[in-house]
């Protein structure tokens, strides 16, 4: 499939047609690609990412301000940080399969860049910046509401899962929490880690991730769901 056809496919997925398709292409252009093609550095997606980050911060701030009228500033700041952090944006990018459309250099491709959170989250911000430049603030806001400001409770729970589990277990006086590495597989540049979380000496959840921390977060998330299920019985 040609790059142009892939861009059209992505436009259908996000429900937005670019007046200037070059902006969409630039949003998907990783610096490794521009380096490999000997293109000027400014043609990669980093400048669009810078712009998209600012637009995202404004839209998410407005959303929280209007939807949480009695929440103090400090709590709003914390919530916004969890909504627009790298793992959260990478999750949003996965929802639309953004990694499949990235333009990467061969080295970045070979080392798993298409699925790396840091790469896909940056591309998500660059895509927001591209929509903003192409269609204005309203189009960017609609995109953010549709693809970022969704399932917020679940996202917050997942990315704060270790902290939330710690608080739950302390409240229940259920014992101490520990994380145990149960396995790892794959080459160094594309490794997966397997972890289980124990409360006392009993395993409550397991997780898999590209880093130990990500695997621990998933294990903690599953433990929270298990504990909540027990509470409702």
């Amino acid at each position: 499939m040609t790059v142009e056809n892939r861009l059209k496919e992505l436009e259908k997925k996000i429900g937005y047609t670019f007046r200037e398709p070059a902006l969409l292409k630039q949003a998907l252009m990783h610096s490794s690609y521009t380096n490999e093609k000997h293109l000027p550095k400014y043609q990669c997606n980093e400048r669009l990412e810078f712009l998209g980050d600012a637009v995202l911060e404004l839209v998410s701030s407005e959303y929280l301000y209007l939807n949480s009228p009695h929440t103090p500033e400090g709590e709003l700041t914390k919530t916004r940080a969890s909504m627009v952090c790298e793992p959260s944006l990478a999750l949003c990018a996965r929802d639309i399969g953004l990694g499949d459309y990235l333009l990467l250099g061969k080295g970045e491709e070979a080392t798993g860049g298409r699925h790396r959170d840091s790469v896909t989250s940056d591309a998500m911000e660059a895509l927001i910046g591209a929509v903003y430049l192409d269609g204005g603030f309203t189009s960017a806001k609609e995109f953010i509401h549709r693809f970022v400001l969704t399932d917020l409770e679940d996202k917050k729970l997942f990315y704060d899962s270790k902290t939330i589990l710690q608080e739950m277990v302390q409240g229940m006086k259920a014992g101490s929490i520990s994380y145990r590495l149960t396995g790892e597989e794959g080459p160094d540049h594309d490794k997966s880690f397997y972890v289980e979380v124990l409360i006392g000496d009993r395993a409550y959840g397991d997780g898999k991730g590209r880093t130990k921390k990500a695997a621990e977060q998933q294990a903690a998330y599953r433990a929270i769901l298990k504990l909540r299920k027990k509470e409702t019985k």
Side-chain angles (χ1 to χ4, degrees):
M1 193 186 289
T2 65
V3 172
E4 286 68 28
N5 285 340
R6 289 176 67 72
L7 295 182
K8 284 189 173 70
E9 186 178 272
L10 180 56
E11 284 180 329
K12 279 183 187 169
K13 266 192 182 180
I14 65 175
Y16 180 82
T17 303
F18 279 80
R19 297 180 186 90
E20 292 185 49
L23 280 169
L24 176 56
K25 186 176 180 181
Q26 186 179 355
L28 303 172
M29 208 178 285
H30 189 258
S31 56
S32 62
Y33 180 88
T34 55
N35 288 342
E36 195 173 276
K37 300 290 183 184
H38 305 294
L39 297 168
K41 169 76 171 167
Y42 63 79
Q43 285 191 18
C44 77
N45 65 4
E46 290 173 3
R47 282 166 51 82
L48 281 174
E49 176 205 335
F50 161 78
L51 181 60
D53 175 62
V55 176
L56 176 59
E57 185 158 316
L58 176 57
V59 173
S60 56
S61 298
E62 180 196 52
Y63 175 87
L64 288 172
Y65 182 85
L66 295 175
N67 286 277
S68 308
H70 305 297
T71 306
E73 178 268 345
E75 191 60 34
L76 290 175
T77 301
K78 225 171 108 180
T79 303
R80 183 181 64 198
S82 73
M83 283 160 54
V84 301
C85 66
E86 181 183 292
S88 184
L89 288 176
L91 185 65
C92 298
R94 275 200 294 280
D95 286 344
I96 60 173
L98 190 58
D100 296 338
Y101 300 93
L102 297 180
L103 297 167
L104 304 174
K106 287 174 186 167
E108 190 66 32
E109 178 83 65
T111 56
R114 203 168 286 284
H115 307 291
R116 191 174 295 124
D117 283 4
S118 58
V119 174
T120 57
S121 63
D122 287 350
M124 193 71 184
E125 287 184 329
L127 183 53
I128 290 167
V131 172
Y132 171 76
L133 284 181
D134 189 75
F137 182 73
T138 301
S139 295
K141 184 175 175 178
E142 284 173 4
F143 178 88
I144 291 166
H145 275 261
R146 184 175 172 192
F147 295 108
V148 181
L149 303 180
T150 53
D151 300 323
L152 288 180
E153 278 308 306
D154 200 46
K155 281 176 187 165
K156 191 171 189 305
L157 172 62
F158 186 84
Y159 291 110
D160 289 345
S161 56
K162 287 180 73 175
T163 306
I164 292 167
L165 180 62
Q166 186 73 41
E167 290 168 355
M168 282 179 78
V169 171
Q170 282 173 350
M172 294 161 61
K173 296 184 170 60
S176 61
I177 297 172
S178 59
Y179 294 88
R180 181 165 65 197
L181 182 67
T182 57
E184 51 186 89
E185 64 180 15
D188 286 344
H189 66 262
D190 193 20
K191 201 176 278 291
S192 291
F193 295 91
Y194 297 85
V195 166
E196 66 179 2
V197 59
L198 297 95
I199 301 172
D201 57 1
R202 185 178 167 192
Y204 267 78
D206 57 9
K208 175 188 175 185
R210 290 181 177 272
T211 63
K212 288 177 189 172
K213 186 180 175 185
E216 288 172 359
Q217 289 283 27
Q218 189 176 83
Y221 178 68
R222 288 179 173 161
I224 291 166
L225 297 181
K226 192 171 183 178
L227 288 171
R228 285 186 173 175
K229 202 171 179 183
K230 277 178 73 174
E231 284 175 355
T232 57
K233 281 185 178 177

